[in-house]
């Protein structure tokens, strides 16, 4: 990249900024949303409208050291089965609150490790969802798959439950890197999981791979990408490893001196991105890649790309209902999050209560700034006609916001009355430029590197 000096001067290699999978970011949530607020928002869903449903399974057989997700290790199935029983109770509670005719268009199981569930628990949970929620005829059902924690019986159960898309975590195939991050997962195990999924008719495959890992070099990430490409995923998320040991204590096991520098991180990303591009993938937003025929690529082409807690999505449902400990729901009115601690969550649900513990009520310019930031993160471009057509602000105020952001990033953006656009040389700065539209006070220690 020939504009490194400009990127450095504008703070790319030093800044720590939100990933903007929501606005405001989840660390800005407060206690102003409780169970009654969640219940009221559920009741206000338009009858007959489609919604998305997310189920969180916060358990893993082993805790990968690199992971900053809220999850806990288990040595037996007892706590997992007890949790599933509670989750089924919450499914029944929330399903009973839904207005008439509401259908689930998207169902996603995440974690943790959802494939930790045995075949019977998998079937039981899937049946509970279908008993208490109406699934649309063309509903997409996706599950996060750990190749180390899957077998023929569990694959059969997921396929029988109607899974249509699988998301496989790869991280990196290099043995030294895997040992350093506490995630041993061979290429062969991953390949076998992919083949097992496709043999059962699950042809839509996502894969996650990380850059910025300890001991990672240009050669190592190229080798891992080539191995991943041999599996022919439909879409790939190329996430930057976020080293936040002050937030995720297990990351203290990762040697800081083995991490690449911010400039090396950029080189690792660009190395992987070139390989995906050469293999026919289209870059989606800041860190996703998709085959031309994949629905994510189609959404990007047609202006329907969106951003949520899983990254980029073609899901345009205005309501996302999150169930399980720490799950976050999104409504037109704001965000609601369940109690993060598993025991606190289970205590509330078992008492017949909703487990909502915090959230955020949209106020002031939240909706305006949320859409401005999402548009930049998805399309690198804000369409003024869309913003003004939605009656989110006035032309004068929009121009003021544009001018302020443009002044902070000379030569990296273009704006006029019709749009605000991040130019190609400035796209590595997308999160930094998006921050220029963020009205909330930001603490750098709460966020990850801008690259």
């Amino acid at each position: 990249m020939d504009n490194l000096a400009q990127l450095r001067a504008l703070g790319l290699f030093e800044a720590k900024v939100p990933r903007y999978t929501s606005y405001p970011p989840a660390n800005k949530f407060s206690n102003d949303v409780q169970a009654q607020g969640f219940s009221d928002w559920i009741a206000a869903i338009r009858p007959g409208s489609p919604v998305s449903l997310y189920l969180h399974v916060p358990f893993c057989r082993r805790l990968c050291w690199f992971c900053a997700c809220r999850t806990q290790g288990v040595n037996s199935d007892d706590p997992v089965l007890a949790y599933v029983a509670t989750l089924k109770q919450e499914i029944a509670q929330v399903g009973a609150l839904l207005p008439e005719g509401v259908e689930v268009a998207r169902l996603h199981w995440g974690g943790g490790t959802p494939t930790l569930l045995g075949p019977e628990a998998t079937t039981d949970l899937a049946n509970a969802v279908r008993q208490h929620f109406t699934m649309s005829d063309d509903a997409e059902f996706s599950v996060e798959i750990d190749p180390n924690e899957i077998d023929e019986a569990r694959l059969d159960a997921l396929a029988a439950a109607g899974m249509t898309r699988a998301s496989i975590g790869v991280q990196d195939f290099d043995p030294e890197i895997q040992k350093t991050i506490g995630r041993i997962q061979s290429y062969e195990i991953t390949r076998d999981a992919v083949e097992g999924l496709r043999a059962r008719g699950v042809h839509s495959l996502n894969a996650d791979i990380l850059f910025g890992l300890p001991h990672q070099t240009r050669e190592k990430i190229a080798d891992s990408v080539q191995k991943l490409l041999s599996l022919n995923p439909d879409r790939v998320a190329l996430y930057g490893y976020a080293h936040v040991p002050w937030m995720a204590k297990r990351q203290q096991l990762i040697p800081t001196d083995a991490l690449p520098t911010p400039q090396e991180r950029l080189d690792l990303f660009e190395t992987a991105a070139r390989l995906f591009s050469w293999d026919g993938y289209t870059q989606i937003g800041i860190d996703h890649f998709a085959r031309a025929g994949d629905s994510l690529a189609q959404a990007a082409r047609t202006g329907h790309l969106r951003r949520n807690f899983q990254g980029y999505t073609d899901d345009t449902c205005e309501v996302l209902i999150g169930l399980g400990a720490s799950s976050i729901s999104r409504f037109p009115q704001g965000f609601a999050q369940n109690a993060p601690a598993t025991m606190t969550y289970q205590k509330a649900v078992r008492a017949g209560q909703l487990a909502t513990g915090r959230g955020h009520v949209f106020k002031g310019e939240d909706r305006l700034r949320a859409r401005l930031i999402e548009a930049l993160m998805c399309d690198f471009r804000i369409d003024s006609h869309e913003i003004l057509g939605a009656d989110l602000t006035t032309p004068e105020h929009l121009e003021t916001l544009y001018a302020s952001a443009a002044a902070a990033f000379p030569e990296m953006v273009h704006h006029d009355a019709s749009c605000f656009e991040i130019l190609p040389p400035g796209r590595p700065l997308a999160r930094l430029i998006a921050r220029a539209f963020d009205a909330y006070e930001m603490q750098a220690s709460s966020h990850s590197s801008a690259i």
Side-chain angles (χ1 to χ4, degrees):
M1 180 168 286
D2 56 9
N3 63 334
L4 281 177
Q6 286 178 291
L7 296 176
R8 182 180 293 107
L10 292 170
L12 177 64
F13 300 135
E14 292 79 32
K16 294 186 181 297
V17 289
R19 292 183 184 268
Y20 290 117
T21 53
S22 71
Y23 182 82
N27 69 316
K28 294 299 180 185
F29 292 179
S30 66
N31 294 327
D32 63 353
V33 179
Q34 297 293 316
Q36 186 59 53
F38 177 85
S39 179
D40 291 344
W41 289 351
I42 288 282
I45 297 174
R46 291 180 293 108
S49 62
V51 300
S52 297
L53 184 64
Y54 172 78
L55 270 58
H56 188 67
V57 179
F59 300 102
C60 295
R61 286 292 175 214
R62 71 200 188 293
L63 295 177
C64 304
W65 304 337
F66 73 90
C67 182
C69 297
R70 189 161 189 109
T71 184
Q72 60 195 77
V74 289
N75 295 317
S76 74
D77 289 340
D78 291 345
V80 179
L81 294 176
Y83 177 85
V84 169
T86 306
L87 186 55
K88 287 170 53 184
Q89 187 174 345
E90 186 187 20
I91 289 169
Q93 289 172 346
V94 175
L97 297 174
L98 285 175
E100 183 178 355
V102 171
E103 293 185 344
V104 175
R106 302 291 180 97
L107 171 62
H108 184 80
W109 292 7
T113 308
T115 50
L116 191 79
L117 303 181
E120 291 184 5
T122 296
T123 302
D124 199 24
L125 188 58
N127 287 342
V129 171
R130 294 184 182 277
Q131 178 183 351
H132 297 286
F133 288 84
T134 300
M135 304 294 293
S136 65
D137 292 339
D138 59 349
E140 179 180 288
F141 175 19
S142 57
V143 179
E144 295 174 12
I145 306 286
D146 180 352
N148 285 312
E149 195 62 53
I150 196 70
D151 54 28
E152 298 291 317
R154 282 178 281 185
L155 283 171
D156 286 342
L158 287 168
M163 178 175 61
T164 61
R165 180 180 293 277
S167 180
I168 289 189
V170 170
Q171 323 321 333
D172 194 285
F173 285 120
D174 181 80
E176 180 187 21
I177 293 174
Q178 290 186 354
K179 183 178 179 181
T180 306
I181 65 174
R183 170 76 171 223
I184 306 300
Q185 178 183 316
S186 70
Y187 169 79
E188 290 75 19
I189 286 176
T190 308
R191 179 203 59 208
D192 291 348
V194 170
E195 291 178 353
L197 288 162
R198 289 189 168 136
R200 289 163 175 80
V202 182
H203 297 298
S204 297
L205 178 67
N206 305 358
D208 297 345
I209 190 168
L210 295 179
F211 70 93
L213 292 171
H215 303 301
Q216 203 172 43
T217 64
R218 183 185 298 179
E219 293 73 24
K220 287 182 176 182
I221 199 170
D223 182 66
S224 288
V225 169
Q226 295 283 16
K227 287 177 178 175
L228 179 58
L229 288 171
S230 74
L231 303 177
N232 196 28
D234 297 275
R235 63 179 74 158
V236 177
L238 177 60
Y239 291 129
Y241 166 61
H243 191 62
V244 287
W246 55 92
M247 296 172 60
K249 300 301 183 185
R250 70 190 80 162
Q251 290 187 353
Q252 294 175 2
L253 296 169
I254 294 177
T256 305
D257 59 0
L259 294 171
T261 66
Q263 187 169 326
E264 289 169 341
R265 285 171 63 94
L266 178 60
D267 182 63
L268 290 167
F269 174 84
E270 292 183 336
T271 297
R274 282 194 296 271
L275 290 170
F276 288 124
S277 176
W278 291 342
D279 208 60
Y281 288 78
T282 299
Q283 183 168 343
I284 308 295
I286 63 170
D287 55 15
H288 279 48
F289 299 82
R291 294 288 189 194
D294 185 78
S295 59
L296 199 66
Q298 295 171 6
R301 288 195 298 269
T302 59
H304 294 98
L305 189 66
R306 295 294 181 263
R307 190 155 172 83
N308 65 13
F309 296 103
Q310 277 77 55
Y312 289 104
T313 180
D314 57 344
D315 178 7
T316 56
C317 294
E318 67 176 9
V319 172
L320 165 67
I321 300 172
L323 303 179
S326 80
S327 287
I328 299 176
S329 299
R330 184 196 67 240
F331 298 89
Q333 301 91 337
F335 296 103
Q337 184 174 21
N338 277 350
T342 303
M343 292 307 298
T344 304
Y345 158 79
Q346 291 181 313
K347 182 178 179 181
V349 175
R350 289 170 182 172
Q353 303 168 359
L354 295 170
T356 313
R358 60 198 292 263
H360 180 84
V361 179
F362 290 145
K363 51 187 175 293
E365 292 186 342
D366 284 350
R367 291 183 181 86
L368 165 64
R369 292 176 181 271
R371 182 57 195 141
L372 296 177
I373 289 172
E374 183 181 47
L376 287 178
M377 295 294 292
C378 289
D379 307 318
F380 302 111
R381 185 180 188 275
I382 299 167
D383 183 336
S384 301
H385 178 73
E386 177 206 331
I387 301 301
L388 298 174
D391 200 26
L392 292 173
T393 189
T394 64
E396 294 77 17
H397 184 50
L398 192 59
E399 169 57 29
T400 298
L401 294 175
Y402 284 176
S404 176
F409 297 94
E411 302 179 29
M412 296 296 174
V413 302
H414 162 79
H415 77 101
D416 55 29
S418 67
C419 71
F420 180 99
E421 183 176 9
I422 303 176
L423 300 174
R427 289 183 178 180
L429 296 161
R431 287 165 60 198
L432 273 170
I433 296 171
R435 187 183 67 177
F437 293 91
D438 187 338
Y440 288 88
E441 181 181 358
M442 194 197 74
Q443 291 183 342
S445 61
S446 300
H447 302 291
S448 59
S449 169
I451 180 62

